PDB file of all heavy atoms in Angstrom:
ATOM      1  N   SER A 145      24.149  47.206  -2.582  1.00  0.00           N
ATOM      2  CA  SER A 145      22.787  47.735  -2.503  1.00  0.00           C
ATOM      3  C   SER A 145      21.882  47.020  -3.519  1.00  0.00           C
ATOM      4  O   SER A 145      20.689  46.788  -3.277  1.00  0.00           O
ATOM      5  CB  SER A 145      22.781  49.239  -2.776  1.00  0.00           C
ATOM      6  OG  SER A 145      23.549  49.932  -1.808  1.00  0.00           O
ATOM      7  N   LEU A 146      22.434  46.686  -4.665  1.00  0.00           N
ATOM      8  CA  LEU A 146      21.659  45.957  -5.681  1.00  0.00           C
ATOM      9  C   LEU A 146      21.256  44.573  -5.173  1.00  0.00           C
ATOM     10  O   LEU A 146      20.091  44.122  -5.371  1.00  0.00           O
ATOM     11  CB  LEU A 146      22.459  45.861  -6.973  1.00  0.00           C
ATOM     12  CG  LEU A 146      21.678  45.399  -8.226  1.00  0.00           C
ATOM     13  CD1 LEU A 146      20.591  46.391  -8.532  1.00  0.00           C
ATOM     14  CD2 LEU A 146      22.625  45.242  -9.412  1.00  0.00           C
ATOM     15  N   VAL A 147      22.157  43.890  -4.509  1.00  0.00           N
ATOM     16  CA  VAL A 147      21.835  42.598  -3.929  1.00  0.00           C
ATOM     17  C   VAL A 147      20.788  42.729  -2.834  1.00  0.00           C
ATOM     18  O   VAL A 147      19.844  41.905  -2.726  1.00  0.00           O
ATOM     19  CB  VAL A 147      23.107  41.907  -3.376  1.00  0.00           C
ATOM     20  CG1 VAL A 147      22.762  40.642  -2.602  1.00  0.00           C
ATOM     21  CG2 VAL A 147      24.059  41.582  -4.515  1.00  0.00           C
ATOM     22  N   MET A 148      20.910  43.783  -2.051  1.00  0.00           N
ATOM     23  CA  MET A 148      19.924  44.010  -0.975  1.00  0.00           C
ATOM     24  C   MET A 148      18.550  44.308  -1.574  1.00  0.00           C
ATOM     25  O   MET A 148      17.506  43.854  -1.053  1.00  0.00           O
ATOM     26  CB  MET A 148      20.375  45.178  -0.103  1.00  0.00           C
ATOM     27  CG  MET A 148      21.602  44.876   0.732  1.00  0.00           C
ATOM     28  SD  MET A 148      22.115  46.259   1.760  1.00  0.00           S
ATOM     29  CE  MET A 148      20.653  46.465   2.786  1.00  0.00           C
ATOM     30  N   LEU A 149      18.552  45.055  -2.704  1.00  0.00           N
ATOM     31  CA  LEU A 149      17.274  45.337  -3.385  1.00  0.00           C
ATOM     32  C   LEU A 149      16.631  44.038  -3.872  1.00  0.00           C
ATOM     33  O   LEU A 149      15.397  43.841  -3.733  1.00  0.00           O
ATOM     34  CB  LEU A 149      17.494  46.279  -4.523  1.00  0.00           C
ATOM     35  CG  LEU A 149      16.236  46.609  -5.408  1.00  0.00           C
ATOM     36  CD1 LEU A 149      15.174  47.311  -4.546  1.00  0.00           C
ATOM     37  CD2 LEU A 149      16.641  47.463  -6.598  1.00  0.00           C
ATOM     38  N   ALA A 150      17.456  43.160  -4.447  1.00  0.00           N
ATOM     39  CA  ALA A 150      16.933  41.897  -4.910  1.00  0.00           C
ATOM     40  C   ALA A 150      16.345  41.101  -3.727  1.00  0.00           C
ATOM     41  O   ALA A 150      15.276  40.469  -3.845  1.00  0.00           O
ATOM     42  CB  ALA A 150      18.026  41.087  -5.583  1.00  0.00           C
ATOM     43  N   GLY A 151      17.071  41.114  -2.583  1.00  0.00           N
ATOM     44  CA  GLY A 151      16.553  40.404  -1.413  1.00  0.00           C
ATOM     45  C   GLY A 151      15.209  40.983  -0.914  1.00  0.00           C
ATOM     46  O   GLY A 151      14.321  40.223  -0.563  1.00  0.00           O
ATOM     47  N   TRP A 152      15.094  42.300  -0.936  1.00  0.00           N
ATOM     48  CA  TRP A 152      13.858  42.953  -0.529  1.00  0.00           C
ATOM     49  C   TRP A 152      12.678  42.555  -1.455  1.00  0.00           C
ATOM     50  O   TRP A 152      11.569  42.253  -0.990  1.00  0.00           O
ATOM     51  CB  TRP A 152      14.007  44.460  -0.481  1.00  0.00           C
ATOM     52  CG  TRP A 152      14.635  44.943   0.802  1.00  0.00           C
ATOM     53  CD1 TRP A 152      15.878  45.420   0.994  1.00  0.00           C
ATOM     54  CD2 TRP A 152      13.973  44.987   2.074  1.00  0.00           C
ATOM     55  NE1 TRP A 152      16.097  45.771   2.286  1.00  0.00           N
ATOM     56  CE2 TRP A 152      14.926  45.538   3.019  1.00  0.00           C
ATOM     57  CE3 TRP A 152      12.710  44.666   2.563  1.00  0.00           C
ATOM     58  CZ2 TRP A 152      14.641  45.706   4.337  1.00  0.00           C
ATOM     59  CZ3 TRP A 152      12.434  44.827   3.916  1.00  0.00           C
ATOM     60  CH2 TRP A 152      13.388  45.360   4.777  1.00  0.00           C
ATOM     61  N   LEU A 153      12.965  42.581  -2.741  1.00  0.00           N
ATOM     62  CA  LEU A 153      11.902  42.255  -3.676  1.00  0.00           C
ATOM     63  C   LEU A 153      11.463  40.805  -3.542  1.00  0.00           C
ATOM     64  O   LEU A 153      10.245  40.479  -3.533  1.00  0.00           O
ATOM     65  CB  LEU A 153      12.369  42.495  -5.127  1.00  0.00           C
ATOM     66  CG  LEU A 153      12.634  43.972  -5.497  1.00  0.00           C
ATOM     67  CD1 LEU A 153      13.224  44.067  -6.912  1.00  0.00           C
ATOM     68  CD2 LEU A 153      11.330  44.782  -5.426  1.00  0.00           C
ATOM     69  N   ILE A 154      12.450  39.917  -3.373  1.00  0.00           N
ATOM     70  CA  ILE A 154      12.103  38.497  -3.182  1.00  0.00           C
ATOM     71  C   ILE A 154      11.335  38.307  -1.863  1.00  0.00           C
ATOM     72  O   ILE A 154      10.358  37.532  -1.818  1.00  0.00           O
ATOM     73  CB  ILE A 154      13.363  37.627  -3.187  1.00  0.00           C
ATOM     74  CG1 ILE A 154      14.010  37.683  -4.600  1.00  0.00           C
ATOM     75  CG2 ILE A 154      13.063  36.203  -2.781  1.00  0.00           C
ATOM     76  CD1 ILE A 154      15.345  36.972  -4.689  1.00  0.00           C
ATOM     77  N   SER A 155      11.735  39.012  -0.852  1.00  0.00           N
ATOM     78  CA  SER A 155      11.069  38.873   0.464  1.00  0.00           C
ATOM     79  C   SER A 155       9.635  39.366   0.347  1.00  0.00           C
ATOM     80  O   SER A 155       8.707  38.745   0.951  1.00  0.00           O
ATOM     81  CB  SER A 155      11.814  39.685   1.503  1.00  0.00           C
ATOM     82  OG  SER A 155      13.132  39.182   1.684  1.00  0.00           O
ATOM     83  N   LEU A 156       9.402  40.476  -0.324  1.00  0.00           N
ATOM     84  CA  LEU A 156       8.042  41.005  -0.456  1.00  0.00           C
ATOM     85  C   LEU A 156       7.122  39.995  -1.140  1.00  0.00           C
ATOM     86  O   LEU A 156       6.008  39.743  -0.732  1.00  0.00           O
ATOM     87  CB  LEU A 156       8.059  42.324  -1.227  1.00  0.00           C
ATOM     88  CG  LEU A 156       8.618  43.538  -0.490  1.00  0.00           C
ATOM     89  CD1 LEU A 156       8.807  44.710  -1.433  1.00  0.00           C
ATOM     90  CD2 LEU A 156       7.741  43.920   0.686  1.00  0.00           C
ATOM     91  N   VAL A 157       7.628  39.419  -2.234  1.00  0.00           N
ATOM     92  CA  VAL A 157       6.812  38.440  -2.939  1.00  0.00           C
ATOM     93  C   VAL A 157       6.611  37.187  -2.106  1.00  0.00           C
ATOM     94  O   VAL A 157       5.488  36.623  -2.068  1.00  0.00           O
ATOM     95  CB  VAL A 157       7.483  38.061  -4.303  1.00  0.00           C
ATOM     96  CG1 VAL A 157       6.711  36.977  -5.004  1.00  0.00           C
ATOM     97  CG2 VAL A 157       7.568  39.305  -5.206  1.00  0.00           C
ATOM     98  N   ALA A 158       7.672  36.758  -1.414  1.00  0.00           N
ATOM     99  CA  ALA A 158       7.531  35.517  -0.591  1.00  0.00           C
ATOM    100  C   ALA A 158       6.575  35.709   0.577  1.00  0.00           C
ATOM    101  O   ALA A 158       5.759  34.841   0.865  1.00  0.00           O
ATOM    102  CB  ALA A 158       8.938  35.121  -0.074  1.00  0.00           C
ATOM    103  N   VAL A 159       6.671  36.857   1.249  1.00  0.00           N
ATOM    104  CA  VAL A 159       5.783  37.137   2.365  1.00  0.00           C
ATOM    105  C   VAL A 159       4.341  37.244   1.882  1.00  0.00           C
ATOM    106  O   VAL A 159       3.385  36.735   2.544  1.00  0.00           O
ATOM    107  CB  VAL A 159       6.199  38.395   3.119  1.00  0.00           C
ATOM    108  CG1 VAL A 159       5.166  38.810   4.136  1.00  0.00           C
ATOM    109  CG2 VAL A 159       7.550  38.170   3.757  1.00  0.00           C
ATOM    110  N   GLY A 160       4.142  37.909   0.727  1.00  0.00           N
ATOM    111  CA  GLY A 160       2.770  37.995   0.180  1.00  0.00           C
ATOM    112  C   GLY A 160       2.229  36.619  -0.182  1.00  0.00           C
ATOM    113  O   GLY A 160       1.046  36.329   0.077  1.00  0.00           O
ATOM    114  N   ARG A 161       3.084  35.773  -0.754  1.00  0.00           N
ATOM    115  CA  ARG A 161       2.689  34.389  -1.096  1.00  0.00           C
ATOM    116  C   ARG A 161       2.306  33.614   0.183  1.00  0.00           C
ATOM    117  O   ARG A 161       1.346  32.862   0.206  1.00  0.00           O
ATOM    118  CB  ARG A 161       3.792  33.698  -1.842  1.00  0.00           C
ATOM    119  CG  ARG A 161       3.541  32.262  -2.199  1.00  0.00           C
ATOM    120  CD  ARG A 161       2.480  32.169  -3.290  1.00  0.00           C
ATOM    121  NE  ARG A 161       2.385  30.804  -3.812  1.00  0.00           N
ATOM    122  CZ  ARG A 161       1.580  30.471  -4.773  1.00  0.00           C
ATOM    123  NH1 ARG A 161       0.780  31.359  -5.336  1.00  0.00           N
ATOM    124  NH2 ARG A 161       1.506  29.208  -5.189  1.00  0.00           N
ATOM    125  N   ALA A 162       3.128  33.780   1.220  1.00  0.00           N
ATOM    126  CA  ALA A 162       2.867  33.057   2.493  1.00  0.00           C
ATOM    127  C   ALA A 162       1.565  33.544   3.091  1.00  0.00           C
ATOM    128  O   ALA A 162       0.795  32.732   3.623  1.00  0.00           O
ATOM    129  CB  ALA A 162       4.031  33.304   3.449  1.00  0.00           C
ATOM    130  N   GLN A 163       1.278  34.826   3.027  1.00  0.00           N
ATOM    131  CA  GLN A 163       0.039  35.366   3.534  1.00  0.00           C
ATOM    132  C   GLN A 163      -1.162  34.779   2.750  1.00  0.00           C
ATOM    133  O   GLN A 163      -2.193  34.421   3.329  1.00  0.00           O
ATOM    134  CB  GLN A 163       0.037  36.868   3.470  1.00  0.00           C
ATOM    135  CG  GLN A 163      -1.270  37.542   3.911  1.00  0.00           C
ATOM    136  CD  GLN A 163      -1.578  37.349   5.372  1.00  0.00           C
ATOM    137  OE1 GLN A 163      -0.748  36.747   6.137  1.00  0.00           O
ATOM    138  NE2 GLN A 163      -2.677  37.864   5.850  1.00  0.00           N
ATOM    139  N   ARG A 164      -0.976  34.659   1.438  1.00  0.00           N
ATOM    140  CA  ARG A 164      -2.048  34.064   0.641  1.00  0.00           C
ATOM    141  C   ARG A 164      -2.293  32.634   1.002  1.00  0.00           C
ATOM    142  O   ARG A 164      -3.462  32.211   1.164  1.00  0.00           O
ATOM    143  CB  ARG A 164      -1.615  34.173  -0.837  1.00  0.00           C
ATOM    144  CG  ARG A 164      -2.544  33.436  -1.801  1.00  0.00           C
ATOM    145  CD  ARG A 164      -3.857  34.135  -1.978  1.00  0.00           C
ATOM    146  NE  ARG A 164      -4.730  33.462  -2.915  1.00  0.00           N
ATOM    147  CZ  ARG A 164      -5.900  33.942  -3.320  1.00  0.00           C
ATOM    148  NH1 ARG A 164      -6.306  35.089  -2.873  1.00  0.00           N
ATOM    149  NH2 ARG A 164      -6.639  33.236  -4.177  1.00  0.00           N
ATOM    150  N   THR A 165      -1.195  31.864   1.204  1.00  0.00           N
ATOM    151  CA  THR A 165      -1.339  30.483   1.576  1.00  0.00           C
ATOM    152  C   THR A 165      -2.009  30.324   2.949  1.00  0.00           C
ATOM    153  O   THR A 165      -2.832  29.467   3.176  1.00  0.00           O
ATOM    154  CB  THR A 165       0.045  29.808   1.600  1.00  0.00           C
ATOM    155  OG1 THR A 165       0.662  29.940   0.327  1.00  0.00           O
ATOM    156  CG2 THR A 165      -0.054  28.348   1.979  1.00  0.00           C
ATOM    157  N   ARG A 166      -1.613  31.224   3.876  1.00  0.00           N
ATOM    158  CA  ARG A 166      -2.212  31.198   5.212  1.00  0.00           C
ATOM    159  C   ARG A 166      -3.710  31.486   5.183  1.00  0.00           C
ATOM    160  O   ARG A 166      -4.537  30.768   5.803  1.00  0.00           O
ATOM    161  CB  ARG A 166      -1.508  32.216   6.102  1.00  0.00           C
ATOM    162  CG  ARG A 166      -2.185  32.407   7.458  1.00  0.00           C
ATOM    163  CD  ARG A 166      -1.381  33.409   8.320  1.00  0.00           C
ATOM    164  NE  ARG A 166      -2.100  33.700   9.539  1.00  0.00           N
ATOM    165  CZ  ARG A 166      -3.065  34.615   9.659  1.00  0.00           C
ATOM    166  NH1 ARG A 166      -3.382  35.366   8.568  1.00  0.00           N
ATOM    167  NH2 ARG A 166      -3.642  34.850  10.816  1.00  0.00           N
ATOM    168  N   LEU A 167      -4.115  32.496   4.395  1.00  0.00           N
ATOM    169  CA  LEU A 167      -5.507  32.815   4.285  1.00  0.00           C
ATOM    170  C   LEU A 167      -6.284  31.673   3.613  1.00  0.00           C
ATOM    171  O   LEU A 167      -7.426  31.388   3.999  1.00  0.00           O
ATOM    172  CB  LEU A 167      -5.715  34.128   3.493  1.00  0.00           C
ATOM    173  CG  LEU A 167      -5.269  35.391   4.208  1.00  0.00           C
ATOM    174  CD1 LEU A 167      -5.482  36.613   3.321  1.00  0.00           C
ATOM    175  CD2 LEU A 167      -6.004  35.594   5.536  1.00  0.00           C
ATOM    176  N   ALA A 168      -5.665  31.049   2.598  1.00  0.00           N
ATOM    177  CA  ALA A 168      -6.347  29.936   1.926  1.00  0.00           C
ATOM    178  C   ALA A 168      -6.540  28.761   2.913  1.00  0.00           C
ATOM    179  O   ALA A 168      -7.577  28.126   2.899  1.00  0.00           O
ATOM    180  CB  ALA A 168      -5.513  29.456   0.731  1.00  0.00           C
ATOM    181  N   TYR A 169      -5.530  28.531   3.762  1.00  0.00           N
ATOM    182  CA  TYR A 169      -5.645  27.441   4.719  1.00  0.00           C
ATOM    183  C   TYR A 169      -6.739  27.764   5.755  1.00  0.00           C
ATOM    184  O   TYR A 169      -7.601  26.883   6.049  1.00  0.00           O
ATOM    185  CB  TYR A 169      -4.304  27.243   5.431  1.00  0.00           C
ATOM    186  CG  TYR A 169      -4.396  26.314   6.607  1.00  0.00           C
ATOM    187  CD1 TYR A 169      -4.473  24.948   6.430  1.00  0.00           C
ATOM    188  CD2 TYR A 169      -4.371  26.817   7.943  1.00  0.00           C
ATOM    189  CE1 TYR A 169      -4.536  24.075   7.507  1.00  0.00           C
ATOM    190  CE2 TYR A 169      -4.438  25.977   9.006  1.00  0.00           C
ATOM    191  CZ  TYR A 169      -4.534  24.618   8.806  1.00  0.00           C
ATOM    192  OH  TYR A 169      -4.617  23.757   9.886  1.00  0.00           O
ATOM    193  N   LEU A 170      -6.735  28.983   6.264  1.00  0.00           N
ATOM    194  CA  LEU A 170      -7.762  29.390   7.239  1.00  0.00           C
ATOM    195  C   LEU A 170      -9.161  29.306   6.623  1.00  0.00           C
ATOM    196  O   LEU A 170     -10.141  28.890   7.238  1.00  0.00           O
ATOM    197  CB  LEU A 170      -7.483  30.799   7.748  1.00  0.00           C
ATOM    198  CG  LEU A 170      -6.237  30.969   8.600  1.00  0.00           C
ATOM    199  CD1 LEU A 170      -6.050  32.407   8.996  1.00  0.00           C
ATOM    200  CD2 LEU A 170      -6.311  30.086   9.849  1.00  0.00           C
ATOM    201  N   HIS A 171      -9.245  29.705   5.330  1.00  0.00           N
ATOM    202  CA  HIS A 171     -10.527  29.675   4.636  1.00  0.00           C
ATOM    203  C   HIS A 171     -11.026  28.197   4.490  1.00  0.00           C
ATOM    204  O   HIS A 171     -12.209  27.922   4.711  1.00  0.00           O
ATOM    205  CB  HIS A 171     -10.402  30.327   3.288  1.00  0.00           C
ATOM    206  CG  HIS A 171     -11.660  30.305   2.479  1.00  0.00           C
ATOM    207  ND1 HIS A 171     -12.793  31.068   2.850  1.00  0.00           N
ATOM    208  CD2 HIS A 171     -12.026  29.665   1.346  1.00  0.00           C
ATOM    209  CE1 HIS A 171     -13.739  30.861   1.957  1.00  0.00           C
ATOM    210  NE2 HIS A 171     -13.324  30.023   1.062  1.00  0.00           N
ATOM    211  N   GLU A 172     -10.097  27.317   4.159  1.00  0.00           N
ATOM    212  CA  GLU A 172     -10.461  25.923   3.976  1.00  0.00           C
ATOM    213  C   GLU A 172     -10.900  25.312   5.328  1.00  0.00           C
ATOM    214  O   GLU A 172     -11.881  24.553   5.381  1.00  0.00           O
ATOM    215  CB  GLU A 172      -9.276  25.172   3.415  1.00  0.00           C
ATOM    216  CG  GLU A 172      -9.576  23.672   3.152  1.00  0.00           C
ATOM    217  CD  GLU A 172      -8.413  22.927   2.584  1.00  0.00           C
ATOM    218  OE1 GLU A 172      -7.349  23.587   2.351  1.00  0.00           O
ATOM    219  OE2 GLU A 172      -8.518  21.735   2.340  1.00  0.00           O
TER     220      GLU A 172
END
Side-chain angles (χ1 to χ4, degrees):
S145 300
L146 193 61
V147 172
M148 292 179 62
L149 176 62
W152 277 106
L153 293 175
I154 293 174
S155 298
L156 289 170
V157 175
V159 171
R161 179 71 171 181
Q163 177 67 1
R164 172 72 178 186
T165 303
R166 173 179 172 274
L167 289 179
Y169 171 76
L170 293 177
H171 180 68
E172 182 179 358

